[in-house]
Amino acid sequence: MTHLSQQRCTACHADAERPAAQELATWLAELPQWQVIQEQGIPQLEQTYRFPDFLTALAFTQAVGQAAEATGHHPCLITEWGQVTVRWWTHAIRGLHRNDFIMAAQTDELYHRDFGSAVPSSSPQG
Amino acid sequence: MTHLSQQRCTACHADAERPAAQELATWLAELPQWQVIQEQGIPQLEQTYRFPDFLTALAFTQAVGQAAEATGHHPCLITEWGQVTVRWWTHAIRGLHRNDFIMAAQTDELYHRDFGSAVPSSSPQG
């Protein structure tokens, strides 16, 4: 099986078939750092990445945002001092689609490739 | 009185005196677009700005982040398709300081100066 991060997003419309629970479980097992949360009744994939300062966090937001725009699938990016929380879900089906797991896997790759050497700090600033 | 947006942030430490309720009310009256919300028991100033697409929202996040870094006072920036929610508070006092109102006013100025011509759309994408 091709790893999620090597797969491509497909177009997704409101009438697209929702993934079966077994599919979701299989994909989630490939992404142990990601959690499924509920936001206003909508399941979303969420992970918080740590950074040594604000500017590195901001650069990660920019990089994930550019990758998202290139794919045409857009996350919620919560940028704070020393951390960025990324949430993926599919607006069209108000839930999780295979595309979200693909983008989550690619977000992990981007982090480890370009930001993996950043040492997190535990002292946020005002 | 000098408008908030023309004032400068001052250094703020954990033992800094918290603003009086009357001061907070006066500053908030200057910022009618901002709301005080509670996040994990911490009062924060919040406003959501609208944009015509994802990339413009991302550019606003970048601009606010750069301004924040230059001042040494950092917000939470929630970037989504067509909108950015900005939250200001002061970690050192776990609440609102005059600095937050100054930064909120300057965020408004940045938006109107550099992004004010962007026409919001009502059709978010996946």
Side-chain angles (χ1 to χ4, degrees), chain B residues 4 16 36 39 41 50 65 103 106:
Chain B
L4 281 167
V36 177
E39 274 286 309
R50 309 287 174 179
M103 294 306 290
Q106 292 182 359

Side-chain angles (χ1 to χ4, degrees), chain A residues 2-12 27 70-73 97-106:
Chain A
T2 310
H3 189 279
L4 281 168
S5 66
Q6 268 93 56
Q7 295 182 36
R8 291 200 175 187
C9 287
T10 53
C12 181
W27 296 331
T71 309
H73 189 45
H97 184 271
R98 191 179 65 122
N99 291 348
D100 301 304
F101 293 85
I102 293 171
M103 294 307 289
Q106 292 182 0

Side-chain angles (χ1 to χ4, degrees), chain A residues 47-66:
Chain A
Q47 182 176 173
T48 298
Y49 298 88
R50 309 287 173 179
F51 304 94
D53 52 36
F54 183 78
L55 277 190
T56 312
L58 189 63
F60 180 71
T61 291
Q62 187 70 17
V64 175
Q66 294 285 355

